[in-house]
Amino acid sequence: MTGHRTALSRRSFVLASAGAALALGTAAPAHASHGRSPFGRYGSPAARLDERTLYVHAGGAGDFTTVQAAVTAATGSGYTLVLAPGVYRETVAVSAARTDMTWIGASGDARDVTVVYDNAAGTPKPGGGTYGTTGSATTLVQGDGFTARDVTFANDWLRADHPGITGTQAVALKVQGDRSAFVRCRFLGHQDTLYADSMALGTFARQYFRDCYAEGDVDFVFGRATAVFERCRFHTLTRTDLASAPYGFVFAPSTAGANPRGYLVTRATITSGAPDGHYKLARPWVPSSDTTARPMLTVRETRLGAGIDAVAPYTDMSSGFPWQDQRFAEYRNTGPGARITVPENRPQLTAAEAAAHTREAYLGDWTPWKGC
């Protein structure tokens, strides 16, 4: 997992996406100028929906000015945090004790509400040492039953600004809880953007992503969760520091060998800002902490843009664990990146096999799409 810079600064992109009126650490006053609540239809501190609804507004119009302060106050289960439009520059951790928590972007547009910070794995910690990949996460979610709607999770750490740092993994979101759902959310970063994982090796956390957007360059969707990505868009960034392909890898699952279900990508789209054929679809991650892992990825009924190398879409992360020995498969994909030119490089499911690779099969008795 190595690093790079895009033509457009991640920091500039985050700010531009949130709107020209936003400044880091402040909330947008646009609604106030029209006499409306910055919390839209979700009430306000003066008209609270219920006692477990908390309001966050960096300018002081809510219960709290930071997301972490609201999370800290939400002790127990079943809290809802309504986030006013703004860019919240902070790190946030939702502990395992805070279950069934919901975050709502008040405007209904993820571009308006951004939680962002800029730590990398190699960033020095105040007390010594470095953060590591997990520690770099802008947002860490460990509580079961977490839901986020219309929120952007970002890490705007730039390698070009820190040439002396070699640990360039910079996570926007690490989610480990079971029954974690993200609807119409965005995940922005470069390397290791979205870490869909579990709390322990023997814990098979289920996660659901619907109508979301994720972008990056190296292994930017990775981890060992059982995760369904439905109708999502994955966008590969260009690089200016490499003269040839590959520029990076979209998926890097690390599914435990005992887990029968890893990552499922269905009815999605993969686009690219890089030249044609400069990205691999996936490579298997077998971490040193679990050498028995058998990474699993199924991509079905998805449009693969020209940025994906159609001839050899998979590659090894380690020569000791070739991708052919893992659980990679495709079914009825379309687009130039899905052309089958070398059949042995594109393992395909039969219709009978594909019947076992559905959101229902992966998520069992949990049906989060019914509430979308």
Side-chain angles (χ1 to χ4, degrees), residues 304-372:
L304 309 183
I308 298 299
D309 178 359
V311 175
Y314 306 105
T315 191
D316 302 337
M317 185 179 292
S318 170
S319 60
F321 302 97
W323 72 264
Q324 293 90 343
D325 292 346
Q326 313 311 321
R327 295 175 284 178
F328 286 178
E330 301 177 52
Y331 181 68
R332 291 187 175 177
N333 294 323
T334 60
R339 287 184 295 106
I340 301 174
T341 58
V342 183
E344 58 267 33
N345 288 346
R346 309 294 305 244
Q348 302 290 311
L349 298 176
T350 65
E353 291 169 337
H357 294 270
T358 64
R359 64 187 185 184
E360 291 83 1
Y362 276 54
L363 301 181
D365 60 358
W366 180 49
T367 57
W369 54 87
K370 292 184 177 180
C372 293

Side-chain angles (χ1 to χ4, degrees), residues 93-120:
V94 179
S95 72
R98 289 167 168 79
T99 58
D100 298 311
M101 178 177 284
T102 298
W103 292 9
I104 300 174
S107 73
D109 188 335
R111 294 173 295 181
D112 294 335
V113 178
T114 299
V115 183
V116 59
Y117 209 70
D118 61 348
N119 282 331

Side-chain angles (χ1 to χ4, degrees), residues 4 159 190-191 216-220 237 239 247-249 279:
H4 359 289
R159 300 163 182 88
H190 289 276
Q191 181 178 353
D217 45 34
V218 175
D219 305 330
F220 65 92
L237 300 172
R239 292 177 57 175
Y247 278 5
F249 321 88
Y279 271 86

Side-chain angles (χ1 to χ4, degrees), residues 159-243:
R159 300 163 182 88
D161 292 346
H162 306 276
I165 291 180
T166 57
T168 56
Q169 300 89 344
V171 177
L173 170 73
K174 179 171 183 176
V175 54
Q176 297 177 282
D178 185 38
R179 297 179 293 104
S180 300
F182 298 83
V183 180
R184 299 184 302 275
C185 289
R186 300 194 307 162
F187 309 97
L188 308 181
H190 289 276
Q191 181 178 353
D192 291 12
T193 304
L194 173 55
Y195 196 169
D197 204 50
S198 69
M199 287 292 288
L201 180 59
T203 301
F204 304 155
R206 296 165 297 173
Q207 297 163 10
Y208 180 66
F209 300 81
R210 177 163 176 155
D211 296 319
C212 290
Y213 172 88
E215 70 175 25
D217 45 34
V218 175
D219 305 330
F220 65 92
V221 181
F222 72 114
R224 68 177 172 226
T226 293
V228 174
F229 301 90
E230 184 172 33
R231 301 193 327 206
C232 294
R233 178 185 169 199
F234 305 92
H235 186 70
T236 61
L237 300 172
T238 193
R239 292 177 57 175
T240 58
D241 62 322
L242 292 181

Side-chain angles (χ1 to χ4, degrees), residues 25-161:
T26 63
H31 296 290
S33 65
H34 297 287
R36 291 181 291 166
S37 166
F39 304 107
R41 61 188 177 90
Y42 298 105
S44 69
R48 199 176 304 276
L49 297 185
D50 58 58
E51 63 180 8
R52 288 181 179 259
T53 298
L54 305 177
Y55 298 89
V56 183
H57 183 280
D63 298 307
F64 303 94
T65 58
T66 69
V67 180
Q68 183 60 65
V71 169
T72 300
T75 55
S77 180
Y79 277 86
T80 296
L81 273 56
V82 181
L83 311 183
V87 176
Y88 298 90
R89 177 160 288 276
E90 56 179 302
T91 58
V92 184
V94 179
S95 72
R98 289 167 168 79
T99 58
D100 298 311
M101 178 177 284
T102 298
W103 292 9
I104 300 174
S107 73
D109 188 335
R111 294 173 295 181
D112 294 335
V113 178
T114 299
V115 183
V116 59
Y117 209 70
D118 61 348
N119 282 331
T123 300
K125 295 171 65 174
T130 57
Y131 283 99
T133 299
T134 292
S136 76
T138 296
T139 301
L140 172 66
V141 175
Q142 296 182 318
D144 290 344
F146 182 88
T147 299
R149 296 198 298 270
D150 304 309
V151 176
T152 292
F153 300 86
N155 190 318
D156 63 357
W157 189 86
L158 298 174
R159 300 163 182 88
D161 292 346

